[in-house]
Amino acid sequence: TGGAAKNKIVDALTSRIERAIKNRERFRVIVILPLLPAFPGHICDAAADDLKFQLHLTYQTISRSSKSMIKRLNKALKGTALTWRDFISFYALRSHDQFPDGTPVTEQIYIHSKLMIVDDKKVIIGSANINDRSMLGDRDSEIC
């Protein structure tokens, strides 16, 4: 409903990586995102504005804005031989197969469940997304 996100999950995650960089700690984050957000229709459809806007916000958060995760990490990494890829990586999943006639086929694997393991000590698994609506605590299910 507009405005900046109220939850600070991305900021907290980036701050934790920055702390690992400063303290020369081994710390690793693996983020698996859907290749495309779950919106009806095709990305080329005239009505795909919501899908394109969601992709825009995702890219801004990860790498394309002046306050993005990667820009913050690059700043923290100045003067080291390390890169942001030593601490965080982003993936999207696809299946690959072929039809009986040998024609290759691939499809996006949509990720819905979420898993977070923190410092090998705390685990959370569930369906909540990292957005204000899901983080209210009264909509999606979690197991800790």
Side-chain angles (χ1 to χ4, degrees), residues 28-139:
R28 190 81 180 126
V29 176
I30 298 170
V31 179
I32 301 174
L33 298 166
L35 189 60
L36 293 171
F39 286 92
H42 190 275
I43 192 167
C44 296
D45 293 347
D49 288 346
D50 288 343
L51 184 149
K52 290 175 186 175
F53 186 63
Q54 185 63 47
L55 283 172
H56 168 76
L57 293 175
T58 300
Y59 293 142
Q60 290 290 104
T61 299
I62 294 170
S63 64
R64 293 187 180 164
S65 80
S66 61
K67 297 178 182 179
S68 72
M69 295 179 80
I70 291 174
K71 293 237 171 68
R72 282 181 56 185
L73 296 177
N74 282 337
K75 184 177 178 184
L77 287 159
K78 274 211 185 301
T80 74
L82 301 171
T83 73
W84 61 267
R85 289 178 184 88
D86 294 314
F87 296 90
I88 189 167
S89 52
F90 300 89
Y91 299 95
L93 302 179
R94 294 191 74 79
S95 66
H96 298 272
D97 205 345
Q98 51 184 286
F99 290 115
D101 68 0
T103 304
V105 63
T106 181
E107 292 183 328
Q108 167 181 286
I109 298 173
Y110 190 80
I111 306 301
H112 183 71
S113 60
K114 286 73 176 184
L115 168 71
M116 180 169 52
I117 303 170
V118 180
D119 296 332
D120 292 331
K121 295 177 185 170
K122 297 183 186 206
V123 174
I124 186 169
I125 188 169
S127 63
N129 293 311
I130 300 178
N131 61 36
D132 288 342
R133 181 183 60 88
S134 292
M135 292 292 109
L136 291 173
D138 63 354
R139 293 178 185 231

